Amino acid sequence: MSHVAAASGGTSEAAPYAIEMQAKCLAAVPSAGTHSGGEGGQLSPSHAFLVGSNAPRGTNRLYLLEYREEPHLVDCIAVWDHAEPICAMSVAAQESGGGPGAATRVLVAACHQSVAGAPMATFEVIRLSSDLVGDVEPLLQIRLDARSPCIAWQPVGLSGGATVDSIGSCVLAARNSIYRLPIAQLAGAAKTASFTMGVPNNATALPVTTLDSIPDRCAMPTAIETIHSITCDPHHKDIVAVAADTSLVIADLRAKQAQLHAAHAPHRLALRSVDYNPNRIYVVATCGDDGQIKVWDLRKAGASVSGGAGGSAGGDRMVALASHQGHDHRATCVRYNPSHDELLLSGGVDQLCRLWCLSSLSSKPLSSVSSGVDGAPPATASTRASKDGVIRSLTDVGETVTSVAWSSSDPWVYAVCGFNGRVFIDRVPDESRLEVLMGE
């Protein structure tokens, strides 16, 4: 077991698993009922995660891990070979036909980078079997003339039969543009083609050989060189946020040109990750090379300032709602809890994953309901803010934390992935869960 430092000074045990290969990608798998495989017959995938390896040489793999709370262990229940390093991954659910109780199919969008030296990557969509552990079903593959593309699912209308028509869209940031890929349409055109996962096909077998044929696109600002991450606004289906260079870019996919936001240099150094608050509209969290974790209200611009490096967005620079020094070096990723926006995960080059409770910035600040109970004075905003901070730190990753994810079936379970391929899964401390629930 791995030791986890808690805010109270005690320790907890995170369940570890090592894939023994470098890894950059971790994603939660939607619950899909029970499946067979492994000892003991039926296994419950209540906490399932996909990990994509990123080894520069040899065969790469896609691992399906399952965490069981009793006896607090992580098992690998399926492995699929992949020809090239996986550099980005996003997972969504597709509802199958058959009425109540029907299985949910799992869709995986991944980008893998060519190791031949050319700036070439490939975007692909696969569908896992209904029992999760069988052979994957390839749906789509597109060549990309780009390095390190970023992707995120934008699911719409997850209903209907088990066909590609019930698949949502995927948002892809590559080549200084943001593309909304109609997966159903593209996969439908590819239904007569076949390909091996991770192996780029010849052009005649691909439904789309370049991104030039995708009409739904939005150009990035001309000054942008490197895109680090992309996330979809859960409150507005056409809005995405992109961490690129030192800038926060907000794109309306209905427009032709994305805009540098007023927070055009929110971390002074490179901006590495951005995530939307699931409950508060226009609120995002960011992290960057300065090691800080910041929370912003995108509607609130600060006093007018000079442009500085990275350009100016109308002369106004955002003032963060909160800023916390979360890591001693570059912070690589940040993720809100999808149900309880008090909780936030961050990872960094300092080999730490931190679990935060930022109650004063949540949709329902802690103590707002229980203020004044038992004769205690009502909590003020400053009192709540003073309680914001780290409630647990995972210290045994041993390498840069490349990805973090919350379980899609239990808001109290989260997973952490290090570049060394070590994965840890743990739960939010009981006392923190109680505080969050009392605050709601």
Side-chain angles (χ1 to χ4, degrees):
M1 296 295 179
S2 173
H3 287 90
V4 181
S8 62
T11 60
S12 177
E13 299 287 347
Y17 190 89
I19 68 171
E20 298 180 350
M21 301 178 74
Q22 295 176 353
K24 286 186 176 180
C25 305
L26 169 73
V29 176
S31 177
T34 59
H35 61 82
S36 60
E39 299 180 358
Q42 298 294 322
L43 297 176
S44 170
S46 56
H47 308 297
F49 298 88
L50 279 173
V51 181
S53 70
N54 191 261
R57 292 180 297 274
T59 300
N60 280 272
R61 294 182 176 89
L62 190 63
Y63 297 81
L64 179 60
L65 305 182
E66 180 186 60
Y67 168 64
R68 289 178 288 166
E69 297 184 45
E70 296 294 337
H72 192 53
L73 292 175
V74 182
D75 291 322
C76 180
I77 58 177
V79 180
W80 301 277
D81 286 346
H82 200 282
E84 293 185 325
I86 302 172
C87 60
M89 184 168 60
S90 184
V91 174
Q94 178 193 7
E95 184 179 306
S96 299
T104 298
R105 299 294 294 274
V106 175
L107 303 169
V108 182
C111 287
H112 50 91
Q113 193 74 49
S114 171
V115 295
M120 178 66 69
T122 302
F123 168 84
E124 64 187 16
V125 178
I126 60 174
R127 181 160 49 198
L128 302 188
S129 62
S130 57
D131 65 357
L132 293 184
V133 299
D135 293 337
V136 300
E137 176 188 359
L139 296 182
L140 175 67
Q141 191 179 76
I142 304 175
R143 297 275 189 91
L144 307 176
D145 183 18
R147 287 191 182 277
S148 301
C150 299
I151 52 177
W153 274 103
Q154 191 181 40
V156 291
L158 295 178
S159 61
T163 68
V164 294
D165 294 333
S166 61
I167 301 174
S169 297
C170 219
V171 178
L172 168 71
R175 295 196 322 181
N176 294 324
S177 292
I178 303 168
Y179 303 84
R180 178 154 50 189
L181 305 177
I183 303 302
Q185 176 184 339
L186 297 174
K191 60 185 178 181
T192 59
S194 63
F195 64 89
T196 301
M197 183 173 65
V199 180
N201 249 329
N202 57 69
T204 58
L206 296 175
V208 179
T209 56
T210 70
L211 292 173
D212 295 335
S213 59
I214 305 297
D216 200 356
R217 71 179 71 183
C218 181
M220 293 284 285
T222 56
I224 296 299
E225 295 183 358
T226 304
I227 299 172
H228 300 295
S229 71
I230 185 171
T231 185
C232 297
D233 187 339
H235 311 287
H236 303 94
K237 67 182 181 66
D238 296 308
I239 306 298
V240 299
V242 181
D245 292 341
T246 61
S247 301
L248 176 61
V249 177
I250 305 299
D252 186 333
L253 298 176
R254 297 166 296 184
K256 296 298 183 182
Q257 180 69 48
Q259 300 295 323
L260 287 175
H261 198 268
H264 62 85
H267 289 267
R268 296 179 289 112
L269 304 173
L271 175 63
R272 294 291 171 175
S273 183
V274 57
D275 195 32
Y276 277 96
N277 186 307
N279 298 332
R280 291 187 64 187
I281 299 177
Y282 302 113
V283 173
V284 299
T286 63
C287 67
D289 282 6
D290 58 1
Q292 293 190 347
I293 310 301
K294 296 187 178 184
V295 179
W296 313 82
D297 186 332
L298 299 179
R299 299 166 296 182
K300 298 181 179 180
S304 180
V305 295
S306 58
S312 175
D316 288 338
R317 178 170 294 175
M318 290 285 293
V319 175
L321 298 178
S323 180
H324 298 273
Q325 190 64 46
H327 298 270
D328 294 333
H329 205 283
R330 175 193 307 167
T332 55
C333 48
V334 61
R335 289 292 179 272
Y336 269 109
N337 184 294
S339 300
H340 307 290
D341 59 325
E342 300 91 340
L343 302 176
L344 192 76
L345 291 171
S346 69
V349 175
D350 57 2
Q351 308 178 12
L352 296 178
C353 173
R354 297 198 186 278
L355 171 62
W356 300 79
C357 185
L358 304 181
S359 64
S360 68
L361 303 173
S362 69
S363 55
K364 195 70 172 179
L366 302 186
S367 302
S368 63
V369 174
S370 56
S371 295
V373 176
D374 296 331
T380 64
S382 59
T383 301
R384 291 193 295 267
S386 67
K387 297 182 179 180
D388 291 351
V390 176
I391 57 177
R392 178 164 287 181
S393 294
L394 177 64
T395 60
D396 287 350
V397 178
E399 246 295 8
T400 296
V401 175
T402 54
S403 187
V404 294
W406 293 93
S407 170
S408 61
S409 56
D410 187 333
W412 309 114
V413 174
Y414 60 94
V416 183
C417 180
F419 187 61
N420 54 6
R422 300 183 69 189
V423 177
F424 298 89
I425 302 180
D426 199 16
R427 295 186 61 87
V428 175
D430 290 342
E431 60 272 20
S432 299
R433 293 171 56 191
L434 180 61
E435 288 185 2
V436 169
L437 292 174
M438 288 182 62
E440 297 177 351

